[in-house]
Amino acid sequence: ITLAGANNLGGDVTFNGAAVTINDATALTLAGASTATGNLVLTSSNGISQTGGSVSVTGTTTLTSAGNDISLNQSGNAFAGTVGFSGANVDITDSTALELVQSNATGNLNLTGGGTGITQSGKLTVGGNTTARAASGDINLGNTANAFTGGVGLTGVNATLTDSTPLTLGTTTLSGTLAVTSGGNITQGGAVAVTGNATFVANGFDITLADPANDFSSVGFGGADDVAITDTSGISLNAGSITGRSEEH
């Protein structure tokens, strides 16, 4: 199915085909169950959303609506291949493991992955806040070129997070381990709770995790300057490298 012209699709859209390409000069709204056994390419000049049903894609998925919102957040969505997007606020739910290619959200980014969790094979650039959820899986957003301008909150088992810029952690809850690397200071805007080991690397920069509701088991630091950490319970400090002051509460 190829509808690549300057289409004006005023109503809801449902598709069932192999490779599917749809361009809409207005807002593109998906409704009902839609299936692409090949690749899916959706482009809209005024946002992409779904009002119900689910989207099932065997191949790759590419979503483009520059300056507008993209929301494919129905719980039954299943993206077997990689997902890439370019938009303002972006909300993606995948009932299976979610793998992201190079993508850009100038606003907020919400990601929900099933199966083994959320991974990436290309960098993410996010202008707003990022929330990544993988209730029973891991979150691996470890691309060294990632750039998260707003806070980043994580919910899952084990998580790896890399930010080429200063990093602000949002509310985070992990039943496993956390590994964080930042190209600037590491701070937080919400409590962080990690059942396993947490490691923070910020070579030459400060790490300030002072929320009184933080709950760590063991914490390690790498290459940091000044470090300040607050924990609601006792913590174990692992071997690490700190060039400045260290404060634990």
Side-chain angles (χ1 to χ4, degrees):
I1 301 172
T2 304
L3 300 175
N7 303 304
N8 189 340
L9 307 175
D12 296 339
V13 175
T14 302
F15 54 82
N16 188 353
V20 177
T21 298
I22 298 175
N23 180 64
D24 193 349
T26 62
L28 175 58
T29 303
L30 304 180
S34 293
T35 300
T37 58
N39 297 332
L40 173 64
V41 178
L42 300 179
T43 305
S44 170
S45 299
N46 197 25
I48 300 171
S49 63
Q50 62 181 147
T51 58
S54 61
V55 177
S56 178
V57 185
T58 303
T60 63
T61 298
T62 304
L63 309 168
T64 304
S65 188
N68 297 284
D69 295 345
I70 299 171
S71 180
L72 296 183
N73 61 0
Q74 295 297 310
S75 60
N77 292 342
F79 302 105
T82 60
V83 177
F85 53 80
S86 179
N89 298 303
V90 178
D91 189 354
I92 305 292
T93 294
D94 189 352
S95 63
T96 65
L98 174 61
E99 180 182 352
L100 302 172
V101 294
Q102 181 170 325
S103 296
N104 173 66
T106 57
N108 297 327
L109 173 62
N110 291 312
L111 301 173
T112 302
T116 56
I118 301 171
T119 60
Q120 65 178 144
S121 55
K123 72 175 182 178
L124 293 178
T125 303
V126 184
N129 296 321
T130 299
T131 302
R133 304 178 187 88
S136 59
D138 297 339
I139 299 169
N140 189 342
L141 300 179
N143 189 292
T144 57
N146 288 339
F148 300 105
T149 301
V152 181
L154 309 170
T155 301
V157 183
N158 305 300
T160 299
L161 176 64
T162 299
D163 189 353
S164 63
T165 67
L167 173 64
T168 300
L169 288 172
T171 301
T172 293
T173 302
L174 299 170
S175 60
T177 62
L178 172 63
V180 172
T181 303
S182 174
N185 295 331
I186 298 176
T187 58
Q188 65 183 142
V192 177
V194 184
T195 301
N197 184 54
T199 304
F200 301 93
V201 178
N203 290 320
F205 296 97
D206 297 340
I207 299 173
T208 306
L209 301 173
D211 193 300
N214 289 339
D215 190 2
F216 298 105
S217 176
S218 61
V219 179
F221 305 101
D225 189 10
D226 294 337
V227 173
I229 184 168
T230 299
D231 190 274
T232 189
S233 60
I235 58 173
S236 172
L237 294 179
N238 299 326
S241 173
I242 301 172
T243 59
R245 297 179 296 111
S246 174
E247 299 179 10
E248 297 82 33
H249 303 279

